Amino acid sequence: MAGKLDLDPRIVARARALAVRAGQPVVDIARSHTTVSVERAVLRLAGVHGADSDGIPWVNRLVDAVRADVGLGHGVAVPVFHAAAATGVDDLTVLAQKAAAGAVRFDVPEKKAEVTAARRRAKKSAADGLKIVDRRRAERDRLIKRYGDPQQRPWIYLIVATGDIYEDIPQAQAAARAGADVIAVIRSTGQSLLDYVPEGATREGFAGTYATQENFRLMRAALDVTSKELGRYIRLTNYASGLCMPEMAALAGMERLDMMLNDSMYGILFRDINPIRTFVDQRFSRQVHARAGIIINTGEDNYLTTADAVDAAHTVTVSQLLNEFFAHEAGLADWQLGLGHAFEINPDLPESFRMELAHALLAREIFPDAPLKWMPPTKHMTGDVFRGNLLDGFFNLVGALTGQGILLVGMMTEAVVTPWISDRDIALQNVRYVLNGAGNLHEDFVPAPGGFIRNRANQVLGEAIELLERIVDDTLMEAIADGTFGLMKRPATRGKGLDGVAKQDADYYNPVTEALEA
């Protein structure tokens, strides 16, 4: 079926094949390396929890101690469980406390029987952690069956960001009552660059609320109450990005979050995190998300805030194709791919709305089974709230016309202030008006054969293929280094977190990866 844009299926297939060729060398790197965050995620699933008096998680203390004694190349599982057996300490959190005090040293056992015993204990502990993830996924399925999904698509996605989890909760519940289907709790500014996950409930943040396991638990419990009240399941979103991507994924799985921001390149481009660190962490985190039944949200919309949304439209398509390949390789299904794109063309350009329609419909047709995440205008919001509300209405209309899966509510006060609750109410009214009045308009909307929208979509797809061909020749790492995406130049030899990357030794063992790939 050619679809509404009359795309040649052979050309779409070629684009996918090129994305596989461009992405496979990166997967090979990810499969042959580990990071401090991957190893910490393994230990979190094995039961390590809590933090010391300085707020540094015990899991960080334990991984740092292992790394100081034997490095990361073997993985931490065998040294940790071997030490636990040798010292008679069954509780890994207690072992971490002893290691931080210098009372425990780590080594890689030389005897095969000791290695086998350590692996067996690590495998059991990892399996116990994954059972928690499995139970939480089954719990979600039961609640969705009990309360139901929203009647309409796209799902209405709304952001909460006060800095205080106890203030976020009533705001999130109020948003759900006003029509939001998905609540996203924005992280505190800069958390993506912390190489540890803060502990406990937090009441201070900067333009957002710290992502912690306890904050996840509190918000999920509150939205469960609201789901029962409203008779529809309210989904919760946070961030598996930055230097702690694998740990965030593990915590999200254990606390039943439903969506996680998890782009393959966002941290590289916009947080200057080392590319190798990011791709290794990204692969592990997506494996966990696949097991947990979590929908990922990718970040292609961000490219259009730094690059021109018309000239760089094809880079969004290329990134979506790469994200799809990386996701499938990690085990995610199409229904879990909230591939991102955005309404960011300068509205003063002639035919800007028709180009937005072309770009949005192109994504819908290339990825027919993915719940695409449609992002509102930000770059060209001027502070004129009346114009902003109108732009958001046009954005909502594109979402309806092109059958998007997830629609992030645009705020007319974008670029002016952090939205008030009243601003959110007006924004939700805008969404409801469009979806109520034109929610099924995509059934009737078919661009004219040979017309502007079809021609523009095919042009962008052609440019995407040309770029993928160059990436295959030059490698994805070189393309990232050259500023291909979002105009950000990020070489693989630089960036934050590189010192936390290690090449796997021949005897590397990770019981979580082993279970997830089984």
Side-chain angles (χ1 to χ4, degrees):
M1 296 293 291
K4 296 182 178 183
L5 292 174
D6 197 29
L7 300 177
D8 187 334
R10 294 167 298 179
I11 293 177
V12 175
R14 173 161 174 74
R16 278 201 164 85
L18 287 167
V20 172
R21 290 175 59 191
Q24 188 59 52
V26 170
V27 171
D28 295 340
I29 291 172
R31 293 177 69 97
S32 61
H33 290 75
T34 188
T35 73
V36 288
S37 188
V38 167
E39 302 302 325
R40 294 194 301 252
V42 170
L43 294 178
R44 285 186 181 275
L45 286 164
V48 180
H49 61 278
D52 65 16
S53 58
D54 293 324
I56 303 302
W58 289 120
V59 71
N60 284 64
R61 295 295 194 193
L62 186 51
V63 169
D64 289 348
V66 174
R67 186 182 183 193
D69 286 347
V70 298
L72 285 181
H74 311 281
V76 300
V78 169
V80 164
F81 282 91
H82 176 63
T87 59
V89 177
D90 293 329
D91 188 330
L92 295 189
T93 303
V94 174
L95 185 73
Q97 294 165 354
K98 289 181 176 293
V104 177
R105 300 303 298 270
F106 298 92
D107 61 12
V108 179
E110 296 181 0
K111 295 180 180 179
K112 184 177 180 179
E114 292 179 334
V115 172
T116 300
R119 286 190 173 198
R120 185 171 58 250
R121 287 189 291 269
K123 185 175 183 177
K124 181 182 182 305
S125 291
D128 289 343
L130 289 173
K131 284 179 183 176
I132 297 172
V133 174
D134 293 342
R135 286 198 300 270
R136 299 298 266 166
R137 177 173 181 167
E139 188 177 64
R140 179 194 300 116
D141 292 341
R142 287 195 303 272
L143 290 172
I144 291 174
K145 186 175 181 180
R146 181 184 306 166
Y147 301 134
D149 267 328
Q151 293 182 357
Q152 92 294 323
R153 294 297 288 266
W155 291 337
I156 301 170
Y157 177 116
L158 192 134
I159 290 171
V160 171
T162 71
D164 181 345
I165 188 62
Y166 293 106
E167 180 61 26
D168 287 343
I169 287 171
Q171 289 207 16
Q173 292 176 315
R177 293 184 188 108
D181 305 310
V182 183
I183 300 297
V185 182
I186 294 293
R187 285 195 305 187
S188 180
T189 298
Q191 185 176 352
S192 59
L193 300 181
L194 297 180
D195 214 343
Y196 68 94
V197 180
E199 282 284 325
T202 62
R203 308 206 65 170
E204 292 182 357
F206 304 92
T209 304
Y210 284 103
T212 74
Q213 184 171 6
E214 178 64 6
N215 285 349
F216 288 176
R217 186 191 68 80
L218 289 168
M219 183 61 81
R220 181 64 272 166
L223 292 180
D224 284 348
V225 172
T226 308
S227 296
K228 181 178 180 180
E229 171 194 332
L230 298 176
R232 57 186 168 88
Y233 184 71
I234 306 300
R235 285 171 169 81
L236 175 59
T237 303
N238 212 284
Y239 288 70
S241 59
L243 292 172
C244 293
M245 197 187 303
E247 295 171 87
M248 290 298 184
L251 295 175
M254 290 190 284
E255 299 299 338
R256 192 172 32 93
L257 271 69
D258 307 289
M259 295 186 189
M260 294 295 278
L261 278 289
N262 186 236
D263 186 73
S264 63
M265 291 188 284
Y266 175 84
I268 300 168
L269 302 176
F270 300 101
R271 293 295 180 266
D272 194 21
I273 296 173
N274 175 260
I276 298 174
R277 171 72 178 265
T278 297
F279 284 121
V280 176
D281 286 349
Q282 172 258 148
R283 182 172 187 268
F284 182 94
S285 68
R286 290 187 175 189
Q287 289 179 314
V288 175
H289 288 143
R291 180 68 170 254
I294 288 172
I295 296 172
I296 65 167
N297 294 171
T298 62
E300 285 82 4
D301 54 286
N302 294 282
Y303 303 172
L304 305 183
T305 63
T306 52
D308 183 80
V310 176
D311 295 340
H314 63 293
T315 68
V316 169
T317 303
V318 168
S319 178
Q320 290 169 334
L321 288 162
L322 289 168
N323 260 310
E324 178 190 55
F325 165 65
F326 291 138
H328 284 168
E329 191 279 332
L332 288 158
D334 284 337
W335 66 267
Q336 293 175 282
L337 307 186
L339 301 172
H341 55 148
F343 189 98
E344 291 287 14
I345 297 174
N346 184 345
D348 293 332
L349 283 177
E351 310 294 357
S352 64
F353 184 74
R354 296 171 82 192
M355 283 191 283
E356 296 283 15
L357 276 172
H359 299 173
L361 191 55
L362 176 64
R364 178 72 285 163
E365 300 233 329
I366 294 177
F367 309 100
D369 299 317
L372 301 178
K373 184 181 179 188
W374 182 226
M375 301 289 284
T378 60
K379 184 176 181 180
H380 297 288
M381 297 293 268
T382 63
D384 179 340
V385 294
F386 302 103
R387 179 179 184 269
N389 200 37
L390 180 61
L391 275 181
D392 286 335
F394 273 80
F395 157 77
N396 295 332
L397 183 58
V398 171
L401 281 169
T402 59
Q404 300 300 305
I406 303 164
L407 185 146
L408 194 150
V409 178
M411 294 293 155
M412 74 295 296
T413 49
E414 180 74 39
V416 182
V417 295
T418 300
W420 298 94
I421 292 178
S422 56
D423 299 334
R424 294 183 182 132
D425 286 343
I426 293 171
L428 284 166
Q429 287 175 17
N430 189 327
V431 175
R432 287 197 302 269
Y433 173 73
V434 172
L435 295 187
N436 287 340
N440 294 317
L441 195 55
H442 60 89
E443 296 176 1
D444 308 306
F445 170 60
V446 180
F452 180 91
I453 290 175
R454 287 194 181 188
N455 290 341
R456 174 60 185 169
N458 279 277
Q459 177 189 350
V460 172
L461 179 57
E463 291 173 354
I465 287 176
E466 291 176 5
L467 176 55
L468 281 166
E469 289 171 339
R470 294 200 301 272
I471 292 173
V472 168
D473 291 338
D474 298 337
T475 77
L476 179 56
M477 289 295 193
E478 284 300 316
I480 293 170
D482 290 344
T484 299
F485 301 97
L487 304 180
M488 300 295 181
K489 297 182 178 182
R490 305 299 191 201
T493 55
R494 296 173 57 187
K496 302 172 181 69
L498 177 59
D499 60 344
V501 178
K503 187 168 179 57
Q504 295 176 6
D505 291 337
D507 63 348
Y508 176 79
Y509 181 66
N510 183 325
V512 175
T513 299
E514 180 183 67
L516 295 176
E517 293 183 350

